[in-house]
Amino acid sequence: NAGVTQTPKFQVLKTGQSMTLQCAQDMNHNSMYWYRQDPGMGLRLIYYSASEGTTDKGEVPNGYNVSRLNKREFSLRLESAAPSQTSVYFCASGGTATNEKLFFGSGTQLSVL
Amino acid sequence: RKEVEQDPGPFNVPEGATVAFNCTYSNSASQSFFWYRQDCRKEPKLLMSVYSSGNEDGRFTAQLNRASQYISLLIRDSKLSDSATYLCVVNPNTGGFKTIFGAGTRLFVKA
């Protein structure tokens, strides 16, 4: 039961470097999400994709881009990493109804020096 | 004011105790409510949905008070394995996909 798979688990970047976080789900879910979690802040939505072919900004989209490659995959790209982007990133997927639960990947611990 | 607010705790309780967490939300039009559990350095996982009439799942009881805009979670007969952070989650009526997470309440259950 893979569920939601995220890679990498850990990453250290220097300021200005770029990287892509990968996420894939095997539950045939329509919606996919990227969150970041910082101490005392809770999870904050970066971008989401309600269905294949669509993406929308969440609460904190600046500095990030996303691609919904197909129904299974949703990637998050940092074009020029900044120390403020040091965080734990979680990918999640869910159904089409607004009251459906979210399934999360195991997270990526990203440090930007 | 944060959209979803929780007491960060930590709550330190002995095994067997009953503990209650409260959460308030600011958007009166919110439609869906949940409690998630997050273990240290792990991903959040759904604990239970919260229904208007209140609902129970074993030792866990969730209640919703729309008039006062708060949600509660009651854990009876606490176990060591209940030690975790409990996240209050609200799905606003607008858009439908912008689920909002509280910062969480930390619970430590001691032997």
Side-chain angles (χ1 to χ4, degrees), chain A residues 27-92:
Chain A
M27 295 173 283
N28 201 35
H29 284 158
N30 288 315
S31 60
M32 297 187 72
Y33 309 79
W34 278 104
Y35 287 90
R36 59 178 289 174
Q37 187 174 35
D38 302 291
M41 300 285 292
L43 283 93
R44 291 182 292 168
L45 183 63
I46 304 171
Y47 271 93
Y48 68 97
S49 171
S51 61
E52 185 179 355
T54 68
T55 60
D56 282 289
K57 295 178 181 179
E59 181 185 356
V60 288
N62 292 344
Y64 305 95
N65 286 303
V66 292
S67 295
R68 183 75 183 264
L69 304 170
N70 47 55
K71 191 171 186 178
R72 289 188 65 247
E73 298 173 287
F74 188 38
S75 63
L76 178 72
R77 182 160 179 84
L78 286 70
E79 291 291 350
S80 178
S84 60
Q85 294 178 304
T86 293
S87 188
V88 179
Y89 291 84
F90 288 101
C91 176

Side-chain angles (χ1 to χ4, degrees), chain B residues 10-24:
Chain B
F11 285 59
N12 293 287
V13 302
E15 270 187 299
T18 296
V19 61
F21 306 135
N22 288 327
C23 163
T24 58

Side-chain angles (χ1 to χ4, degrees), chain B residues 20-40:
Chain B
F21 306 135
N22 288 327
C23 163
T24 58
Y25 61 94
S26 61
N27 185 346
S28 60
S30 297
Q31 293 297 313
S32 304
F33 309 89
F34 309 88
W35 284 101
Y36 278 69
R37 170 196 169 122
Q38 186 173 24
D39 293 301
C40 190

Side-chain angles (χ1 to χ4, degrees), chain A residues 91-112:
Chain A
C91 176
S93 72
T96 52
T98 57
N99 61 348
E100 290 197 37
K101 65 180 180 179
L102 298 180
F103 294 82
F104 285 84
S106 58
T108 297
Q109 174 72 60
L110 174 66
S111 295
V112 183

Side-chain angles (χ1 to χ4, degrees), chain A residues 98, chain B residues 3 27 29-32 90-100:
Chain A
T98 57
Chain B
E3 291 187 76
N27 185 346
S30 297
Q31 293 297 313
S32 304
V90 175
N91 201 328
N93 195 36
T94 56
F97 293 96
K98 296 185 179 181
T99 303
I100 300 170

